[in-house]
């Protein structure tokens, strides 16, 4: 599979990546065998970029991805995870996570973009995955934490990058405006743009992509199915858009795009995947 480099770093990503939120039991239980088979299928298809996060299933995604990649040549794949949400003991568990993942809530998420929090998060990720290093670390959803993320967390990641501990740093969010600020105002190499450059939403054309082009940085476009609405040939009611049930007007738009795809001999999911990597300064999609 073709690869694209993250500008000014040694990291090259396959144009398609594997987003590991689902193997963290996003919305529903994914049996262990199915999670392992999904990673195997991605590998067999030539995918060599795998992304995870502590947030996904309260660490379940990281554990499963690390186990599935165990034994594969480490130099052949790129793995990214995220920091900013520490997993700490939950003093008042109710039996089930309330953040969209079907897992027990023996742990809870704790926002922390301090230097110590970032270092602790990375160390915990390495323990859960069984890896000795991460290729990319993104700050995860710092929407309400700009000052600490920009002034403390990003310099911490930059120091680790400069020491050769990690190869590339950035931020990942479901909005574009703050990601553009990370590109313009911090030492980020790359941003993970979730859902804002898709068939249904190209808002990143106004800020993230121009910022990346101006500063010679890179963009990884993810969430290209907008949480599921674009993942089937014919979308139906109840499918997700931005992690919520898709409103009727967006379902109507998706169905109209599906009709155009069918008229041209392709499918809505195929068009959704092709949309992101064709964007300027994009390294690929997951």
């Amino acid at each position: 599979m073709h690869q694209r480099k993250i500008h000014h770093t040694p990291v090259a990503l396959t144009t398609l990546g594997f987003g590991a939120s689902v193997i963290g039991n996003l919305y529903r239980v994914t049996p262990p065998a199915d999670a392992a088979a999904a990673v195997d299928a991605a590998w067999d298809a030539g995918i060599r970029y795998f992304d995870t996060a502590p947030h996904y299933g309260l660490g379940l995604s990281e554990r499963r991805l690390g186990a599935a990649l165990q034994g594969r040549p480490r130099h052949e794949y790129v793995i990214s995870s995220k920091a900013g949400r520490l997993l700490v003991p939950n003093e008042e568990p109710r039996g089930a996570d309330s953040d969209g993942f079907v897992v027990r809530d023996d742990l809870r998420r704790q926002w922390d973009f301090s230097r110590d929090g970032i270092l602790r998060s990375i160390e915990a990720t390495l323990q859960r995955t069984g890896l000795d290093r991460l290729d990319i670390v993104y700050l995860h959803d710092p929407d309400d934490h700009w000052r600490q993320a920009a002034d403390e967390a990003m310099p911490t990641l930059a120091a680790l990058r400069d020491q050769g501990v990690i190869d590339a740093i950035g931020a990942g969010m479901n909005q574009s405006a703050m990601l553009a600020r990370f590109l313009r105002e911090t030492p980020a190499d790359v941003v993970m743009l979730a859902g804002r450059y898709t068939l249904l939403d190209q808002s990143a054309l106004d800020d993230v992509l121009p910022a990346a082009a101006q500063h010679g940085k890179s963009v990884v476009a993810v969430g290209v199915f907008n949480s599921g609405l674009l993942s089937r040939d014919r979308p139906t009611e109840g499918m997700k858009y931005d992690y919520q049930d898709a409103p009727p007007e967006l379902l109507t738009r998706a169905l109209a795009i599906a009709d155009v795809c069918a008229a041209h001999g392709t499918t809505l999911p195929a068009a959704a995947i092709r949309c992101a990597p064709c964007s300027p300064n994009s390294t690929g999609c997951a």
Side-chain angles (χ1 to χ4, degrees), residues 93-106:
R94 297 186 177 183
D97 182 43
S98 61
D99 231 337
F101 294 89
V102 186
V103 295
R104 289 186 56 83
D105 63 341
D106 299 321

Side-chain angles (χ1 to χ4, degrees), residues 16-19 21-22 27 174 193-201 221-233 235 239-244 246 250 254 267-277 285-286:
L16 290 179
F18 182 93
S21 60
V22 172
Y27 302 136
N174 292 286
L193 176 72
R196 304 286 74 86
Y197 194 91
T198 72
L199 292 175
L200 292 172
D201 186 334
V222 303
V224 296
F225 297 137
N226 280 121
S227 299
L229 185 58
L230 301 176
S231 65
R232 298 290 183 270
D233 292 359
M239 296 185 75
K240 301 293 184 182
Y241 179 87
D242 282 358
Y243 310 104
Q244 306 292 328
L250 281 177
T267 66
L268 184 60
I273 290 172
R274 285 294 301 166
C275 173
C285 66

Side-chain angles (χ1 to χ4, degrees), residues 53-81:
H55 170 56
Y56 301 157
L58 293 171
L60 178 62
S61 172
E62 290 186 321
R63 293 193 299 272
R64 283 180 164 179
L65 184 60
L69 292 174
Q70 191 174 37
R72 301 186 190 276
R74 183 62 183 89
H75 67 281
E76 289 190 13
Y77 64 87
V78 170
I79 189 166
S80 61
S81 192

Side-chain angles (χ1 to χ4, degrees), residues 4-5 209 217-221 276-285:
R4 297 184 185 182
K5 287 198 67 174
L209 295 181
K217 298 183 177 182
S218 297
V219 178
V220 175
C278 294
S279 61
N281 281 73
S282 172
T283 61
C285 66

